[in-house]
């Protein structure tokens, strides 16, 4: 990555250099920061940082798979592995680092891997197909990413960290405890304060386990070493360049080695401040300094920001500045909420300056806090206001950064430079600003803050701000919906290639998946769609805190027969599941392992049940009272209508979840006015309410139409739902959508009842297509052996249960075991064993 950035910086300036690149790997530079995305489907081509025509257009002699093996400084030549000898006038060493593997017995056994290159990942993937238990040696950034990859491949996963906490460099003890708890709740077993003593092997030389320095041992048939890196400085040592006592090629502020004709940049270099930097941002800064030196420009490298922000196993973690409070006299300001897994610490100087901080579980304020720490100016508000949630007076999201605040530390781009790109260089979108300034093209942690700065600057200039879905799509969700619908696009790849850029992200992939599903693009787990889904949709069930899943069968209108109740009870009993009545009049079955889901579904489907779509952005329930059938106040059949509506709209994919209710009279026992669409019976027909939501910001629904007959009611709901699906933003529920809709309720009424836009026929046809093509997603999985293959705890041992999914008894049922408990419940109710530490 650093070598590629050097080439880019060199060719951005006029020069007379003829360049040869010697690369050990078989491919040009690629993105190691996002290397783990390879396991989720990102290809090597998509990770590439070197455009296919880059070398040819710039006259670069790129020699892949032919690394330098020696340097003759006197003759000024480099010899390569193939035997070539090349002369040089200037030599740049960007050899990076190599993974450190502790020299313990068995470290080179079959089944031991490192986590550095695409080839390493390919080897891990192949090894995981034959493994059941994986262990990662090292609990730092890369180690936890490796653990996430092993867990995603279905392996029981352990992390062994010699330090007393995970991510010891980035987080403190408090943050480490919260991080550990969150990761253990996902099913990863963490061992801290323990080093690897030896790797145990079978007679055939394959890994079978590990012995730890604390005397304990664990079974493992795949080991990934991620215990740090060392500067790759052997070339420099062999040719007599000065290296540091603990490694690294010594360089000055211009990145020149002890030989002025040779420079060193990136992880192989020991900078003038005595540090070896293992992050991409310092490497890029060094690359730019070395390029400036060769083109006659000026520059120096005197140190760099080492802030980090990433998501590890779904947990947000960030650190910046003096995160550990090493500055004399510094003070700590803490906020911790163990219930929600959030920990925040700010390190503040006595004079009011922000020095650094640690964020675990909620790193939303990182983009704002990091520039404040780097800038060194006194805080504009109290430190407490910067870490409190917004609902409790937090002010981090409302702070205005000064122009000299560094927004992108990877490329050292300030807020003022971003504003200038808009105001002075004519950039009108985030992608254009990225191209102009390079901000946001490194780790990507600054993109949200950048988007706000660019938007504010455009609005101040009177320019209409683009409302793109994310950095990869300039179109809004509703615009993408129309593109997909009109052009008949059936894959994310085609939509991205024709109307987007980059690889896609956690924002656009599930949003496009939802669009494709709402337009009837087949089963959501087929082909490419399976990799795009949100967490719950991956397994058509709701993931719970200990790695188990809950199953919610559909109970239309809340009506269920005694035999149906008995069947659900028998299933819960036979699989040892926790049962609870939901607020939507359904029964939730908790505690199923992923490999048990098809068996649970099969029993339910045989009894006439189907998926309740509790896992999807889709219709959840249509709640009802008993209506005129039983209630002496009821004036209409609310149960019958609720069942009809739920069966009509079941499986309808939308930007957000949908809830509904039908009340049989004005007494409103079904609480219809708190739903996305609700119906209340009148003596003359039905009143239709829309745009009501519960949750964090409750909103009563608005009356759209009153005294409707049954056919008009259903047609109006059809059009309301399809219009919402077509025009809402990503994850926008009906309440904020209606508040945002230009013209509000009157406009909506005109569209769905008076056809003011002339789209009523389209809306009707789309709903009719949904009703005609609906299929139960559970039954469709059960009927397809290919789809069933994903429902295993371990891909290489399909019948093996996941031992990390643990429970303890509570109130005659089960609940997930906490990290400080050790419990196991045998299915079937025959025995129960619980140990509490």
């Amino acid at each position: 990555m650093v070598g590629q950035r050097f080439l880019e910086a060199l060719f951005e300036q006029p020069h007379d250099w003829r360049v040869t690149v010697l690369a050990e790997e078989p491919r040009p530079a690629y993105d190691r920061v996002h290397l783990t995305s390879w396991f989720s489907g990102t290809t090597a081509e998509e990770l590439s940082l070197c455009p296919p025509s880059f070398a040819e257009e710039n006259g670069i002699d790129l020699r892949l798979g032919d690394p330098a093996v020696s340097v003759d400084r006197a003759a000024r030549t480099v010899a390569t592995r193939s035997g070539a000898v090349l002369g040089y006038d200037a030599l740049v060493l960007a050899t990076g680092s190599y993974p450190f593997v502790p020299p313990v017995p068995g470290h080179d056994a079959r089944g031991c891997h490192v986590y550095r290159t695409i080839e390493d990942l390919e080897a891990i993937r192949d090894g995981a197909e034959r493994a059941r238990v994986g262990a990662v040696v090292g609990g730092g950034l890369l180690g936890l990413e490796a653990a996430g990859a092993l867990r995603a491949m279905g392996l029981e996963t352990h992390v062994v960290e010699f330090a007393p906490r995970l991510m010891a460099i980035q987080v403190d003890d408090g943050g480490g405890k919260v991080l550990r708890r969150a990761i253990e709740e996902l099913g990863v077993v963490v061992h801290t304060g323990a080093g690897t003593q030896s790797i145990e092997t079978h007679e055939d030389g394959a890994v079978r386990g590990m012995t730890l320095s604390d005397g304990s041992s664990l079974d493992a048939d795949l080991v990934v070493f991620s215990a740090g890196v060392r500067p790759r400085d052997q070339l420099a040592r062999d040719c007599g360049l000065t290296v540091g006592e603990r490694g690294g090629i010594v360089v000055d502020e211009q990145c020149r080695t002890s030989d002025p004709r040779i420079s060193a940049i990136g992880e192989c270099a020991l900078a003038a401040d005595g540090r070896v930097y293992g992050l991409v941002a310092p490497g890029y800064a060094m690359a730019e300094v070395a390029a400036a030196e060769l083109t006659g420009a000026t520059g120096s490298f005197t140190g760099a920001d080492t802030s980090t922000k990433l998501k590890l196993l779904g947990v947000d973690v960030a650190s910046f500045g003096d995160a550990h409070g090493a500055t004399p006299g510094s003070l700590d300001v803490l906020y911790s909420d163990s219930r929600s897994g959030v920990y925040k610490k700010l390190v503040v100087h006595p004079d009011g300056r922000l020095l650094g901080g640690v964020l675990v579980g909620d790193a939303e304020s990182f983009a704002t806090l990091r520039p404040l720490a780097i800038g060194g100016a006194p805080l504009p508000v109290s430190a407490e206001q910067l870490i409190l949630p917004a609902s409790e007076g937090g002010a981090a999201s409302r702070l205005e950064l000064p122009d000299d605040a560094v927004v992108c530390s990877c490329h050292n781009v300030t807020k003022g430079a971003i504003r200038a790109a808009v105001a002075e260089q004519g950039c009108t979108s985030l992608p254009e600003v990225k191209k102009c300034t390079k901000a946001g093209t490194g780790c990507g942690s600054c993109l949200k803050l950048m988007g706000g700065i660019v938007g504010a600057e455009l609005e101040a200039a009177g320019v209409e701000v683009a409302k793109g879905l994310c950095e990869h799509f300039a179109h809004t969700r509703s615009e993408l919906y129309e593109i997909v619908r009109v052009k008949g696009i059936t894959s994310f790849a085609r939509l991205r290639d024709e109307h987007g850029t980059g690889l896609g992200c956690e924002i656009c992939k599930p949003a496009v998946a939802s669009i494709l599903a709402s337009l009837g693009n087949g089963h959501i787990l087929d082909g490419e769609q399976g990799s795009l889904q949100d967490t719950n949709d991956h397994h058509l069930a709701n993931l719970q805190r200990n790695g188990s899943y809950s199953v919610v069968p559909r109970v239309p209108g809340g009506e269920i027969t005694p035999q149906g109740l008995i069947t659900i009870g028998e299933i819960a009993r036979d699989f040892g599941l926790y049962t609870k009545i939901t607020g939507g009049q359904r029964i939730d079955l908790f505690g199923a392992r992923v490999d048990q889901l098809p068996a649970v579904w099969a029993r339910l489907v045989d009894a006439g049940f189907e998926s309740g779509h509790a896992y999807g952005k889709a219709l959840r329930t249509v709640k009802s009272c008993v209506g005129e059938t039983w209630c002496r106040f009821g004036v209409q059949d609310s149960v019958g209508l609720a069942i009809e509506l739920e069966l009509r709209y079941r499986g309808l994919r939308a930007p957000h979840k949908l809830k509904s209710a039908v009340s049989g009279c004005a007494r409103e026992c079904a609480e219809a006015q708190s739903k996305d669409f609700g119906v209340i019976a009148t003596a003359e027909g039905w009143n239709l309410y829309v745009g009501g939501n519960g949750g964090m910001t409750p909103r009563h629904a608005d009356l759209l139409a009153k005294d409707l007959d049954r056919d008009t009611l259903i047609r109006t709901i059809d059009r309301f739902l399809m219009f919402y699906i077509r025009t809402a933003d990503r994850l926008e529920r009906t309440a904020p959508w209606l508040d945002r809709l230009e013209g509000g309720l009157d406009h909506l009424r005109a569209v769905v009842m008076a056809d003011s836009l002339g789209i009523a026929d389209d809306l009707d046809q789309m709903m009719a297509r949904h009703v005609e093509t609906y299929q139960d997603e559970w039954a469709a999985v059960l009927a397809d052996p290919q789809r069933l293959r994903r429902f295993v705890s371990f891909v290489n041992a399909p019948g093996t249960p996941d031992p990390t999914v643990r429970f303890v008894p509570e109130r005659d049922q089960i609940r997930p075991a906490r990290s400080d408990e050790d419990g196991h419940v045998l299915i079937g109710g025959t025995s129960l064993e619980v140990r509490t530490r």
Side-chain angles (χ1 to χ4, degrees):
M1 296 179 73
V2 172
Q4 177 66 19
R5 178 63 197 129
F6 166 79
L7 295 174
E8 292 169 353
L10 182 66
F11 284 95
E12 287 167 1
Q13 305 296 328
H15 66 85
D16 297 323
W17 293 98
R18 187 175 72 249
V19 179
T20 300
V21 176
L22 303 177
E24 181 176 37
E25 292 190 62
R27 54 177 58 85
Y30 56 91
D31 186 355
R32 293 192 202 276
V33 173
H34 299 101
L35 189 61
T36 302
S37 67
W38 183 86
F39 283 111
S40 59
T42 301
T43 65
E45 291 72 23
E46 291 172 325
L47 285 170
S48 176
L49 296 174
C50 183
S53 59
F54 180 79
E56 182 178 354
E57 289 177 354
N58 292 293
I60 298 172
D61 180 8
L62 177 59
R63 304 190 181 196
L64 300 175
D66 192 19
V69 294
S70 65
V71 176
D72 186 333
R73 291 169 51 202
R76 277 191 274 153
T77 60
V78 176
T80 74
R81 187 167 60 190
S82 68
V85 178
L86 307 172
Y88 68 84
D89 294 300
L91 178 64
V92 178
L93 299 176
T95 49
S97 61
Y98 64 91
F100 171 68
V101 177
V104 298
H107 70 274
D108 55 354
R110 191 171 75 253
C112 290
H113 304 270
V114 293
Y115 198 92
R116 184 67 174 170
T117 68
I118 290 177
E119 285 68 35
D120 293 335
L121 268 57
E122 290 173 342
I124 292 171
R125 178 200 59 195
D126 295 343
E129 293 178 354
R130 301 180 295 274
R132 184 180 66 84
V133 182
V136 178
V137 178
L141 300 177
L142 203 58
L144 294 182
E145 284 203 1
L150 296 185
R151 178 179 174 274
M153 289 187 286
L155 274 65
E156 175 189 333
T157 304
H158 296 253
V159 173
V160 178
E161 169 56 50
F162 182 74
R165 62 178 181 272
L166 298 174
M167 289 183 64
I169 295 176
Q170 288 79 21
V171 305
D172 60 358
D173 286 338
K177 289 178 182 178
V178 173
L179 177 61
R180 175 172 184 157
R181 186 183 305 117
I183 288 177
E184 287 184 327
E185 286 178 350
L186 293 171
V188 175
V189 183
V190 177
H191 311 260
T192 54
T196 303
Q197 195 76 25
S198 64
I199 305 296
E200 313 301 332
T201 62
H202 294 287
E203 292 182 0
D204 63 359
V207 172
R208 67 174 177 83
M210 300 174 63
T211 299
L212 305 184
S213 59
D214 62 3
S216 64
S217 61
L218 59 91
D219 294 332
D221 33 29
L222 185 147
V223 175
V224 177
F225 288 104
S226 183
V229 295
R230 300 291 185 268
R232 206 166 184 202
D233 56 15
Q234 194 61 47
L235 274 175
R237 291 177 182 273
D238 292 344
C239 72
L241 293 177
T242 303
V243 297
E245 183 178 348
R246 301 182 63 183
I249 308 167
V250 175
V251 298
D252 61 16
E253 292 184 358
Q254 282 67 49
C255 297
R256 294 172 301 204
T257 69
S258 53
D259 183 334
R261 290 186 178 271
I262 302 178
S263 301
I265 56 177
E267 292 177 311
C268 68
L270 179 64
D273 63 354
R275 298 182 62 180
V276 173
Y277 288 89
L279 298 173
V280 69
Y284 281 177
M286 297 172 81
E288 290 160 7
V289 168
E293 184 72 11
L294 292 184
T295 57
T298 59
S300 62
F301 181 84
T302 57
D305 177 28
T306 57
S307 302
T308 55
K309 176 182 179 292
L310 63 162
K311 187 182 288 287
L312 297 166
L313 292 148
V315 183
D316 286 320
V317 181
S319 69
F320 56 94
D322 181 11
H324 295 291
T327 303
S330 60
L331 306 170
D332 293 346
V333 180
L334 298 175
Y335 171 85
S336 182
D337 182 355
S338 58
R339 296 169 302 174
S340 57
V342 173
Y343 174 87
K344 300 180 182 182
K345 181 186 81 171
L346 297 185
V347 180
V348 182
H349 194 276
D351 65 10
R353 291 177 290 124
L354 178 62
L355 299 175
V358 174
L359 308 171
V360 178
D362 176 10
E364 186 73 16
S365 57
F366 170 80
T368 302
L369 296 175
R370 182 186 56 79
L372 291 174
I374 295 173
L379 291 174
V381 298
S382 68
E384 303 90 86
Q385 289 180 278
L386 295 177
I387 56 174
L388 284 173
S391 60
E392 298 178 26
S397 62
R398 303 191 300 272
L399 280 184
E400 184 72 21
L401 292 175
D403 278 353
D404 60 359
V406 175
V407 173
C408 174
S409 60
C410 290
H411 293 282
N412 199 33
V413 182
T414 64
K415 176 186 175 182
I418 294 171
R419 293 183 59 211
V422 176
E424 300 171 13
Q425 301 185 49
C427 295
T428 59
S429 67
L430 182 59
E432 289 181 11
V433 173
K434 288 173 62 179
K435 185 176 182 180
C436 177
T437 64
K438 294 193 179 300
T441 61
C443 70
S445 63
C446 61
L447 285 172
K448 183 172 183 179
L449 180 59
M450 276 184 64
I453 295 170
V454 172
E457 194 67 19
L458 288 171
E459 288 180 352
V463 178
E464 184 176 352
V465 180
K467 304 294 184 182
L469 179 65
C470 67
E471 61 168 310
H472 302 109
F473 289 97
H475 299 285
T476 65
R477 180 205 168 273
S478 60
E479 289 169 344
L480 289 175
Y481 182 96
E482 294 303 321
I483 290 170
V484 171
R485 184 180 69 86
V486 172
K487 297 184 72 172
I489 293 175
T490 59
S491 72
F492 176 82
R494 180 184 165 192
L495 182 65
R496 180 198 61 204
D497 291 345
E498 295 182 7
H499 300 278
T501 61
L503 307 178
C505 63
E506 61 187 17
I507 293 174
C508 59
K509 285 183 176 180
V512 172
S514 174
I515 291 172
L516 294 172
S518 67
L519 289 170
N521 199 47
H523 199 282
I524 66 167
L525 298 185
D526 286 348
E528 177 205 54
Q529 285 193 100
S531 64
L532 301 176
Q533 303 301 327
D534 276 323
T535 300
N536 289 336
D537 294 278
H538 275 300
H539 291 109
L540 308 183
N542 286 39
L543 179 64
Q544 302 303 318
R545 65 185 304 153
N546 69 335
S548 65
Y549 290 83
S550 71
V551 177
V552 184
R554 187 171 301 286
V555 180
E559 181 179 84
I560 188 169
T561 65
Q563 184 56 49
L565 282 171
I566 291 170
T567 299
I568 291 177
E570 289 175 340
I571 294 171
R573 178 200 62 203
D574 294 346
F575 287 91
L577 306 177
Y578 169 86
T579 57
K580 186 181 186 302
I581 306 299
T582 73
Q585 298 180 329
R586 300 196 289 189
I587 301 173
D588 206 341
L589 308 174
F590 291 82
R593 301 188 311 269
V594 65
D595 57 292
Q596 293 177 312
L597 291 175
V600 174
W601 297 341
R603 294 272 298 272
L604 289 168
V605 170
D606 286 346
F609 292 99
E610 63 181 24
S611 167
H613 284 92
Y615 49 82
K617 302 294 187 292
L619 178 76
R620 297 294 177 85
T621 65
V622 181
K623 187 177 177 181
S624 77
C625 64
V626 296
E628 68 173 357
T629 308
W630 292 91
C631 179
R632 57 197 176 97
F633 300 108
V635 295
Q636 300 283 358
D637 179 11
S638 57
V639 177
L641 179 61
I643 293 172
E644 182 179 358
L645 294 178
E646 185 157 346
L647 295 180
R648 182 174 183 81
Y649 304 128
R650 57 187 171 178
L652 181 64
R653 297 281 170 158
H656 207 296
K657 64 184 176 185
L658 293 164
K659 293 186 177 181
S660 180
V662 181
S663 288
C665 73
R667 290 173 179 261
E668 250 282 70
C669 292
E671 302 168 329
Q673 292 180 80
S674 65
K675 301 295 187 278
D676 295 281
F677 63 101
V679 182
I680 300 177
T682 71
E684 288 75 32
W686 304 93
N687 287 353
L688 175 60
Y689 294 81
V690 297
N693 288 166
M696 292 180 63
T697 53
R699 179 191 191 276
H700 266 77
D702 294 326
L703 178 63
L704 183 67
K706 60 182 182 179
D707 295 332
L708 300 177
D709 61 73
R710 201 179 193 92
D711 291 342
T712 304
L713 171 71
I714 292 174
R715 182 173 65 249
T716 305
I717 297 174
D718 285 354
R719 294 176 180 178
F720 160 73
L721 290 174
M722 297 314 301
F723 187 54
Y724 159 67
I725 291 171
R726 286 180 67 163
T727 60
D729 284 339
R730 164 187 171 268
L731 299 181
E732 184 176 40
R733 204 164 174 184
T734 56
W737 169 75
L738 186 56
D739 290 337
R740 181 181 60 82
L741 192 65
E742 189 172 350
L745 188 67
D746 290 338
H747 175 61
L748 176 62
R749 187 178 293 114
V751 171
V752 301
M753 303 194 73
D755 194 17
S756 61
L757 297 180
I759 62 173
D761 286 344
D762 287 343
L763 301 178
D764 292 343
Q765 291 171 15
M766 292 170 68
M767 182 59 76
R769 180 186 177 191
H770 164 73
V771 174
E772 292 167 3
T773 59
Y774 167 78
Q775 61 173 338
D776 175 27
E777 290 173 352
W778 289 351
V781 168
L782 296 172
D784 189 328
Q786 188 65 27
R787 294 170 184 156
L788 278 169
R789 290 180 60 187
R790 69 169 54 231
F791 294 92
V792 293
S793 294
F794 304 102
V795 293
N796 60 319
T800 305
D802 185 349
T804 66
V805 177
R806 300 176 296 116
F807 304 94
V808 295
E810 185 173 86
R811 293 189 296 274
D812 297 325
Q813 295 204 74
I814 61 169
R815 65 161 172 80
R818 296 189 299 268
S819 58
D820 60 343
E821 297 173 319
D822 185 10
H824 184 67
V825 176
L826 297 181
I827 302 304
T830 56
S831 65
L832 174 70
E833 179 184 350
V834 179
R835 297 196 307 273
T836 302
R837 292 194 298 269

